[in-house]
Amino acid sequence: MLRRASKVGRKFSNPVPTVIGGLGTIFKLLPHYLTNKAETAPARPLGPFRTDVSIYAKASESGLRVTWMGHSSLLVEIDGVRLLIDPMWDERASPTSWAGPKRFFAPTMRLEELPSIDAVLVSHDHYDHLGEASIRGLAGMVSMRGAKWVTSLGVGEELRQFGVEATRIQEMDWTESVNVGGVEITAVPTRHFSGRSLFNRFETLWSAFVLKGPKHTVYFGADSGWWEGFAEIGAAYGPFDLTMLEIGAFDVLWDGIHLGPDGAARAFEALGGRGLMMPIHWGLFDLALHAWRQPITRIVELADERGIKLWAPEPGRPTEVVGGDEVRSDWWR
């Protein structure tokens, strides 16, 4: 199943047959939305969470240090290389600045406070992963002039529209790799879709990334529903020290494109079940009908039942990944 992406006309295809809902799904959701009583957004303000940026003046002691900014935005320091993944500083995960899912808490640092970055990784073009204001801000920073931008096929054009220089963009098909400072970044298939409107779906590619340094290997799962390819990815690129899998924004109506906590636990085991599992894609935006805490409470239950070691730090805190040592912050309680 690990192969280059295929297309039908202008549209990329999923690695396995997948039905994506359209307007019909919206009509199915409407009754549930109108009667939903779950606390889909925090009743009280969260945070503030602040990143101590002085920590970045010293290299990671373990060789692998991660700062989770919420949702799927991360700063990964792996074997001497700094990678910024799916940067999302925008106020809303939306095409407009006045409506749409709004952040639960403010960014943990200003863009200008970021340390020097070797590469920015953008998995796909959905609004909760590719924020226009964030990209424009990063593209205009002098400190980012030397950074490479690594993304999926077709997304480079959107990055160029937001101010990133074309010469700095590396687009990748599934199974293709690029080397940044000795860390090999490989795009691998996921079961998802792309598009920033109902009219351009599937026209750019969506990917997960394997980050392989001299001493550490990380899997960034981005967005994906369950598919049998997880086992093949684990066999080909693992074992992983840290496996990042989405747990939020799930619903039975779109379980083919999002894992949810139960799917994430299953995917972690299929990927090899080694090292630590990091829950991502939760805790920042209201993108589904479930309570905002439900993804993390459920994955904690599953981890305890199945003996999965969780790595779930507080937002904005640079945290060392040390062997098999768990991190379970209770900030969300």
Side-chain angles (χ1 to χ4, degrees):
M1 293 185 175
L2 289 179
R3 56 181 181 266
R4 301 293 165 87
S6 60
K7 296 180 81 171
V8 177
R10 297 172 54 189
K11 298 181 181 294
F12 288 99
S13 300
N14 264 302
V16 294
T18 304
V19 176
I20 307 295
L23 287 173
T25 302
I26 296 175
F27 290 119
K28 289 179 181 177
L29 279 172
L30 188 59
H32 299 289
Y33 176 80
L34 294 175
T35 59
N36 187 31
K37 296 182 179 180
E39 187 184 334
T40 57
R44 298 190 301 270
L46 301 179
F49 304 105
R50 285 294 300 163
T51 299
D52 181 359
V53 296
S54 68
I55 291 173
Y56 301 124
K58 293 184 179 180
S60 165
E61 294 180 1
S62 67
L64 181 58
R65 183 169 62 194
V66 177
T67 310
W68 179 58
M69 282 79 165
H71 203 59
S72 299
S73 294
L74 305 125
L75 178 59
V76 178
E77 299 170 274
I78 175 171
D79 297 339
V81 174
R82 283 201 185 107
L83 306 173
L84 183 62
I85 304 179
D86 285 358
M88 184 58 185
W89 267 251
D90 294 46
E91 183 68 11
R92 296 181 185 272
S94 166
T96 70
S97 60
W98 49 270
K102 188 177 181 180
R103 303 177 65 96
F104 295 166
F105 55 86
T108 68
M109 69 179 103
R110 293 179 292 108
L111 284 176
E112 295 77 12
E113 292 180 295
L114 280 166
S116 59
I117 302 296
D118 295 294
V120 182
L121 279 58
V122 179
S123 62
H124 64 298
D125 67 3
H126 283 160
Y127 287 98
D128 55 323
H129 295 259
L130 196 167
E132 179 177 351
S134 304
I135 302 302
R136 289 190 181 280
L138 289 166
M141 289 166 50
V142 174
S143 60
M144 292 291 295
R145 293 278 167 84
K148 182 183 285 288
W149 291 69
V150 179
T151 191
S152 307
L153 291 177
V155 182
E157 176 56 34
E158 294 170 309
L159 296 179
R160 285 190 287 271
Q161 291 176 7
F162 299 156
V164 180
E165 296 176 16
T167 56
R168 294 163 55 200
I169 299 171
Q170 174 77 53
E171 292 187 354
M172 292 198 297
D173 197 348
W174 292 338
T175 73
E176 288 187 332
S177 301
V178 62
N179 192 289
V180 176
V183 172
E184 186 177 62
I185 302 167
T186 303
V188 293
T190 69
R191 188 183 181 193
H192 198 56
F193 71 110
S194 65
R196 291 171 78 80
S197 78
L198 288 174
F199 308 105
N200 65 353
R201 287 180 166 184
F202 301 99
E203 293 184 6
T204 63
L205 191 58
W206 51 98
S207 304
F209 296 112
V210 174
L211 318 175
K212 189 171 186 62
K215 297 181 179 179
H216 296 91
T217 305
V218 172
Y219 177 78
F220 172 75
D223 284 6
S224 181
W226 165 262
W227 68 297
E228 293 77 6
F230 283 120
E232 202 165 326
I233 291 170
Y237 299 105
F240 303 110
D241 299 287
L242 187 64
T243 301
M244 304 170 173
L245 292 166
E246 55 143 75
I247 63 167
F250 64 93
D251 191 277
V252 67
L253 289 174
W254 54 81
D255 62 358
I257 55 171
H258 284 296
L259 287 169
D262 288 77
R266 183 183 179 193
F268 177 76
E269 292 169 345
L271 285 159
R274 301 271 296 277
L276 300 160
M277 176 188 165
M278 180 181 183
I280 60 171
H281 201 264
W282 73 282
L284 188 61
F285 295 110
D286 174 7
L287 299 173
L289 297 175
H290 57 69
W292 77 273
R293 290 188 181 93
Q294 185 178 344
I296 189 65
T297 57
R298 178 59 179 156
I299 198 62
V300 167
E301 290 175 357
L302 289 165
D304 290 341
E305 290 172 6
R306 302 189 185 191
I308 295 172
K309 292 186 176 182
L310 284 185
W311 198 87
E314 177 182 307
R317 178 167 293 181
T319 307
E320 300 281 347
V321 180
V322 181
D325 294 350
E326 283 194 299
V327 172
R328 293 196 184 193
S329 170
D330 286 340
W331 69 271
W332 47 273
R333 294 188 186 277

